[in-house]
Amino acid sequence: DIQMTQSPSSLSASVGDRVTITCRASQSIRSYLNWYQQKPGKAPKLLIYAASSLQSGVPARFSGSGSGTDFTLSINSLQPEDFATYFCQQSYSTPPTFGQGTKVVIK
Amino acid sequence: QVTLRESGPALVKPTQTLTLTCTFSGFSLSTSGMSVSWIRQPPGKALEWLAHIDWDDDKYYSTSLQTRLTISKDTSKNQVVLTMTNMDPVDTATYYCARMRADIALAFDYWGQGTLVTVSS
């Protein structure tokens, strides 16, 4: 199975900050990398697919980049509703696997 | 409008078999490129993919759980059913079903709200 490692596991930030979360795969996954946002008690929500494609309806302050083994999710101008946990997921091979999550909290 | 909804028991005893049903609307599981997956999340932990079933009835299972899992679909009822045998307290988790699409890099674009299953005697 492909292991997905996110960093950091948590971060504190203020409204208006730019935030960057990193995800590393244990082997090349080309661009088969997806990002999700999860709020407490809710199901995950797809933000980015194929490393850099913005899912319909997701604000443009979210962006993704990377290929191969190293990927980044960036949030420009953090908004109050963005405080949540973010997961990366590889869809290059079965089984699909998720990172352990990055919790973004208010500073 | 795509929706998915999980249903099943909230409490099961150790060694029992869990049966979960995902009822969906807004798409057809007979459409090429469509799949439905089951994913679980123990309290406070990360997401774990369990199984998925494709539009053409291909089935895939978690390596570590494959001997305990069975997934099936009823296209006419728009349902996907997951059974998990020999339940253990470590299987306590919120269980989600989610749609996966081949045309968006096999990402999970719609999720159910999840159902919490507690395993306890």
Side-chain angles (χ1 to χ4, degrees), chain A residues 23-83:
Chain A
C23 180
R24 175 165 288 176
S26 60
Q27 66 182 75
S28 176
I29 56 171
R30 294 166 57 186
S31 294
Y32 286 88
L33 191 283
N34 310 306
W35 289 99
Y36 302 86
Q37 176 194 67
Q38 187 178 34
K39 296 182 178 179
K42 300 294 187 182
K45 172 187 174 183
L46 177 65
L47 299 175
I48 301 283
Y49 64 92
S52 60
S53 295
L54 194 66
Q55 172 68 347
S56 176
V58 174
R61 62 180 180 273
F62 291 92
S63 64
S65 65
S67 66
T69 60
D70 294 313
F71 301 86
T72 298
L73 172 70
S74 296
I75 312 173
N76 279 324
S77 188
L78 200 66
Q79 297 300 300
E81 60 268 30
D82 300 336
F83 291 96

Side-chain angles (χ1 to χ4, degrees), chain B residues 86-117:
Chain B
N86 194 25
M87 293 293 284
D88 183 272
V90 299
D91 297 314
T92 294
T94 296
Y95 287 74
Y96 296 99
C97 61
R99 186 178 79 165
M100 185 170 75
R101 280 172 46 194
D103 62 336
I104 56 166
L106 302 172
F108 304 110
D109 64 339
Y110 284 93
W111 298 61
Q113 84 281 6
T115 186
L116 176 61
V117 177

Side-chain angles (χ1 to χ4, degrees), chain B residues 20-25 27-30 36 38 53-55 57 59 71-82:
Chain B
L20 295 172
T21 300
C22 176
T23 303
F24 57 88
S25 63
F27 69 99
S28 172
L29 199 41
S30 58
V36 171
W38 285 95
I53 188 163
D54 290 343
W55 64 280
D57 211 38
K59 300 163 187 173
I71 192 169
S72 62
K73 65 180 174 73
D74 186 330
T75 304
S76 65
K77 292 183 178 179
N78 282 350
Q79 290 182 333
V80 172
V81 176
L82 181 76

